[in-house]
Amino acid sequence: MEEQRYLEIMRRHMQEFYLLDEQQVEEILPGCLGTLFEHVQRLEALQQEGDAGALAKASHAVRGALLNLGLFDLAEYVCQVETRCEELDDLPTCRSLLAELRRKLQPLYSLTPPSPGAGLVQETW
């Protein structure tokens, strides 16, 4: 199950990189995921506005949140999204890349429910 693989990666990263114990990881992880979801929500809002340059900048924040969680494979994809949106300034291409990003991030949403007012609501996916 992809969700469990991501959860294990994040836990291990937080323990090794931030030197947190298991209890600290369990306390901090929902907030870190919430931050990621907030950045993704911003990306979604900008997509509706249609500004490829702003999408590139917002992608950078998503990439940073993923790196903080140790999800390097997802961060690498977001880096590609950021670069392509920046270089192409082509909204249809950016939207296509973002649709694939949503698909890749979907397993993370089942790990912890977004808190009210923070993060992306499931229906927008």
Side-chain angles (χ1 to χ4, degrees):
M1 195 181 262
E2 190 111 44
E3 297 90 354
Q4 292 306 312
R5 184 177 75 84
Y6 284 144
L7 190 56
E8 182 57 36
I9 289 169
M10 290 184 293
R11 285 178 173 150
R12 187 174 50 248
H13 175 75
M14 294 178 99
Q15 288 172 336
E16 293 173 4
F17 189 77
Y18 300 114
L19 305 175
L20 300 174
D21 62 36
E22 288 180 30
Q23 182 180 350
Q24 290 170 316
V25 170
E26 295 308 314
E27 290 171 2
I28 292 172
L29 188 57
C32 292
L33 285 170
T35 298
L36 170 64
F37 299 155
E38 288 173 6
H39 290 310
V40 172
Q41 184 178 29
R42 172 94 173 111
L43 198 57
E44 287 288 321
L46 288 170
Q47 179 178 327
Q48 298 303 318
E49 293 176 18
D51 182 345
L55 285 171
K57 290 177 183 170
S59 296
H60 184 82
V62 172
R63 181 169 53 122
L66 290 166
L67 289 171
N68 287 339
L69 289 166
L71 299 173
F72 303 118
D73 57 335
L74 293 173
E76 177 60 33
Y77 182 78
V78 176
C79 182
Q80 294 171 24
V81 172
E82 178 183 353
T83 302
R84 301 273 315 269
C85 288
E86 215 167 47
E87 291 174 353
L88 298 176
D89 196 25
D90 174 9
L91 194 56
T93 299
C94 291
R95 285 188 172 141
S96 174
L97 293 168
L98 291 171
E100 178 63 13
L101 174 61
R102 282 190 298 277
R103 188 192 68 71
K104 289 176 178 283
L105 293 177
Q106 189 59 44
L108 296 175
Y109 280 87
S110 67
L111 294 176
T112 183
S115 60
L120 193 59
V121 180
Q122 286 293 111
E123 295 88 59
T124 62
W125 286 91

